[in-house]
Amino acid sequence: MKDEDSRYEAVRSRDARFDGEFFFAVATTGIYCRPSCPAVTPKRCNVRFFATAAGAQRSGFRACRRCRPDAAPGSAEWNVRADVVGRAMRLIGDGVVDREGVAGLAVRLGYSARQVQRQLTAELGAGPVALARAQRAHTARVLLRTTDLPVTEIAFASGFASVRQFNDTIRAVYAMTPSALRAAAPRSGRTARRAATPTAGIPLRLAHRGPYHAGAVFDLLQREAVAGVEEVRGVPGGRLYRRTLRLPYGTGIVAVDERQGAARKGLGAHPGGWLDARLHLTDPRDLTTAVQRLRRLFDLDADPYAVDERLGADPRLAPLVAARPGLRSPGAADPEELAVRALVGPAEAARLVRGYGKALDAPCGTLTHVFPEPAALAEAEPHGTLGTLAAALADGTLRLDAGADRDEAQRALEALPGLDAATIAAVRARALGDPDVAPPHTRVPDSWRPWRTYALHHLRAAGERP
């Protein structure tokens, strides 16, 4: 939604479909909000629009305390777009700027730091540093409200270089000190914080927009679960998905509940909801990265309205879309792991985990290992297609990270001997998050573009073939 008059109409109707897609700020109050904010609608002459929360912050606006715009679902645009801006936003979300700086981001994108700065600022109103700063502020707020970690530890866990920088940012974004922000947490947040011990983990709400068909996502995760790394407990409708994570600074274990939380009535048209999760980390600096990878795994930043509108217009898909509104296309918590699993299947993947996976310092039920790294697999099983794939991932010949160029990755996959077209398509759809992958050697209508991946999930969920 690029037209500002259309955006203002979305604000007037408090339309939650556009939460995270854009933000609006009010010049007379100095506050920025999400479109569904329940506050009184400001006059049009006082409203400014921004593509990102960072753009609003950079212009001197602070976050609304009622609608918490920084906690909105991410824009679906960044997952769909394959250009440098879309790739950069995925990498920033994965914490690359915090770990490697703007120079590291530019290297991954294949551009100079100046070019990346110019393109992001021109389109989003904020450069990579400002975008990362906004993300750090959100991470800090989550930690302040859900854990009893000392404020100093939270500052560095959130990615800030100093406590002073942390304090200044929290004051600028929320108009409160870190201690006041913690004290202002609602009663439920204070209760959760008391429960957020090192053994209990960090409670999270993973927000999504619109309807979310969780059953099909959990069905897929249950079918594909690899022993030692994943498990799904419970009965349909009340299942709990648990898995281990390999992260930049350490390891993690996450539990995600199939039962969904729903936004309160009165918070605007088309409210979304959330999935409850609990995250255990060996190093809290991995929080931002872990959350973003979970969002990609569960496809939480998708725009179900755009997908369902396009696919629902097709006679064959219309009844399937009506039966499963908000069906998602699950991604991957670890793209390199997904590529190996797509090649070998769950049973063989479990053998690799037992043989070469990194054992957790403290096993948690059936979760005992982190999936083996490509370098370990390349050394242990250097022959055959698995060895070739693992070596390509280990030496960087094949890149599947959040900012990878999808077409370049596909060409690299096609150059590897032994990989069939179906495996390559699965890697592109799941590991690279491409929403428009057609099944190989099969003709599907062009009217399904740019959501062919979702169309295939509808067919599979209904037991049909393309």
Side-chain angles (χ1 to χ4, degrees):
M1 182 182 285
K2 301 294 185 182
D3 177 69
E4 291 197 351
D5 289 336
S6 299
R7 288 180 170 180
Y8 185 69
E9 287 305 311
V11 171
R12 289 211 324 164
S13 60
R14 299 183 174 87
D15 197 332
R17 288 178 298 178
F18 302 103
D19 284 356
E21 299 293 334
F22 71 87
F23 300 85
F24 75 94
V26 185
T28 52
T29 64
I31 292 173
Y32 76 94
C33 304
R34 62 171 81 191
S36 66
C37 183
V40 175
T41 303
K43 294 180 180 179
R44 175 66 182 86
C45 60
N46 294 326
V47 173
R48 292 178 59 187
F49 296 99
F50 297 91
T52 62
Q57 293 171 17
R58 186 169 179 263
S59 295
F61 295 96
R62 64 183 186 275
C64 174
R65 296 179 188 174
R66 295 188 65 181
C67 70
R68 296 193 309 172
D70 58 328
S75 173
E77 187 174 5
W78 313 134
N79 289 341
V80 174
R81 287 174 56 168
D83 63 355
V84 66
V85 173
R87 292 167 57 207
M89 290 299 288
R90 293 195 292 272
L91 284 170
I92 292 169
D94 199 55
V96 167
V97 171
D98 293 335
R99 296 191 299 272
E100 304 173 20
V102 177
L105 173 69
V107 169
R108 286 175 177 258
L109 294 170
Y111 287 78
S112 71
R114 180 176 295 180
Q115 287 174 309
V116 173
Q117 174 77 29
R118 184 170 62 247
Q119 291 198 45
L120 291 176
T121 303
E123 183 163 342
L124 307 179
V129 172
L131 291 162
R133 174 179 177 266
Q135 185 168 267
R136 289 186 209 117
H138 173 57
T139 300
R141 184 179 64 77
V142 170
L143 290 173
L144 284 166
R145 292 193 165 208
T146 63
T147 77
D148 277 323
L149 284 173
V151 171
T152 300
E153 289 187 29
I154 289 176
F156 295 108
S158 305
F160 290 96
S162 69
V163 174
R164 180 176 179 178
Q165 184 188 72
F166 164 71
N167 288 332
D168 290 346
T169 298
I170 296 300
R171 287 193 187 96
V173 173
Y174 300 110
M176 302 173 77
T177 65
S179 298
L181 186 59
R182 168 171 274 174
R187 184 181 301 274
S188 60
R190 292 195 294 270
T191 302
R193 188 168 73 236
R194 286 195 296 270
T197 64
T199 55
I202 301 171
L204 300 168
R205 284 182 172 180
L206 304 175
H208 60 78
R209 65 175 55 80
Y212 187 91
H213 196 280
V217 175
F218 278 74
D219 287 344
L220 177 64
L221 295 175
Q222 189 163 20
R223 287 196 304 271
E224 295 182 346
V226 173
V229 170
E230 294 174 296
E231 68 170 7
V232 180
R233 299 176 177 175
V235 297
R239 288 171 288 190
L240 187 71
Y241 170 75
R242 299 172 70 240
R243 71 153 294 146
T244 62
L245 298 168
R246 183 175 70 242
L247 297 163
Y249 295 107
T251 61
I253 296 176
V254 65
V256 182
D257 198 328
E258 181 180 8
R259 290 165 294 197
Q260 299 170 61
R264 298 192 307 274
K265 293 182 179 180
L267 292 184
H270 309 285
W274 65 84
L275 297 179
D276 282 312
R278 190 168 288 270
L279 191 58
H280 306 252
L281 298 171
T282 59
D283 190 319
R285 289 178 295 175
D286 283 321
L287 176 62
T288 296
T289 301
V291 168
Q292 289 302 317
R293 293 183 183 181
L294 289 173
R295 297 193 67 81
R296 288 197 292 274
L297 173 61
F298 287 91
D299 196 21
L300 293 169
D301 292 329
D303 182 350
Y305 301 104
V307 176
D308 290 359
E309 181 181 11
R310 171 60 61 88
L311 300 182
D314 181 88
R316 181 181 180 186
L317 297 177
L320 308 185
V321 173
R324 297 175 181 83
L327 185 71
R328 295 306 209 264
S329 175
D334 185 329
E336 295 177 340
E337 172 191 318
L338 187 282
V340 173
R341 291 171 56 170
L343 173 65
V344 304
E348 178 66 5
R351 182 188 72 82
L352 297 176
V353 169
R354 291 192 301 271
Y356 316 116
K358 177 185 177 182
L360 297 177
D361 293 335
C364 184
T366 64
L367 303 182
T368 58
H369 291 76
V370 177
F371 199 84
E373 296 185 57
L377 292 176
E379 180 180 355
E381 302 209 2
H383 305 296
T385 305
L386 173 59
T388 303
L389 173 62
L393 290 168
D395 66 18
T397 302
L398 171 61
R399 278 187 53 210
L400 299 176
D401 60 44
D405 184 291
R406 290 166 179 160
D407 291 334
E408 286 185 9
Q410 174 147 349
R411 287 191 290 270
L413 286 164
E414 291 170 344
L416 299 178
L419 282 182
D420 60 26
T423 301
I424 293 172
V427 172
R428 178 157 186 153
R430 298 284 301 278
L432 295 170
D434 190 338
D436 193 35
V437 178
H441 315 304
T442 304
R443 295 190 64 182
V444 298
D446 282 343
S447 60
W448 293 2
R449 291 178 178 272
W451 311 115
R452 291 180 294 177
T453 304
Y454 290 85
L456 297 180
H457 279 290
H458 273 291
L459 293 172
R460 290 167 183 151
E464 298 185 26
R465 294 181 62 83

